[in-house]
């Protein structure tokens, strides 16, 4: 009976990764495929405009980014996920050109 419960367990925050999918943006998602598909959908970019799959890095949750353009305070990727993750992909950090 316990085995069935484990299989039915939903993915949670512990299963989320942050993928640097192009020069500008890092996307939080459960998988690289999910991150890429979501990003292409919202940006209209094609696969060829993103990094090659083997060049995409997973960003450490301890990595710190600026809180905002106007603010020099740094916040960890983990803090961003804890605050904003709602089960759907989103852009965690952007260098903005």
């Amino acid at each position: 009976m316990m085995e069935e419960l484990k299989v039915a367990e939903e993915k949670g925050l512990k299963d989320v990764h942050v993928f640097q999918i192009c020069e500008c943006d890092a996307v939080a998602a459960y998988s690289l495929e999910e991150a890429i598909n979501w990003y292409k959908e919202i940006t209209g970019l094609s696969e060829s405009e993103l990094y090659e799959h083997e060049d995409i890095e997973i960003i450490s949750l301890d990595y710190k980014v600026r809180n905002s353009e106007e603010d020099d305070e740094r916040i960890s990727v983990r803090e961003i996920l804890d605050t904003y993750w709602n089960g759907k992909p989103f852009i965690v950090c952007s260098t903005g050109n």
Side-chain angles (χ1 to χ4, degrees), residues 30-80:
Y30 290 124
S31 70
L32 177 57
E33 230 26 68
E34 180 183 41
I36 288 172
N37 290 337
W38 176 84
Y39 190 77
K40 288 191 314 189
E41 196 173 293
I42 65 150
T43 63
L45 293 176
S46 68
E47 190 94 20
S48 64
E49 294 173 275
L50 306 179
Y51 286 158
E52 295 292 325
H53 286 221
E54 59 272 9
D55 295 331
I56 293 174
E57 294 181 13
I58 294 177
I59 296 180
S60 164
L61 296 182
D62 296 324
Y63 183 71
K64 298 236 184 208
V65 296
R66 282 177 49 194
N67 209 4
S68 71
E69 270 185 48
E70 304 79 39
D71 190 352
D72 278 340
E73 186 183 331
R74 302 223 172 237
I75 183 171
S76 74
V77 169
R78 178 179 281 109
E79 290 172 276
I80 295 169

Side-chain angles (χ1 to χ4, degrees), residues 2 9 18 20 26 29 38 40 52 54 59-60 82 90-93 97:
M2 288 300 281
E9 188 179 320
V18 178
Q20 185 74 45
W38 176 84
K40 288 191 314 189
E52 295 292 325
E54 59 272 9
I59 296 180
S60 164
D82 286 347
F90 73 97
I91 295 173
V92 173
C93 51
N97 289 336

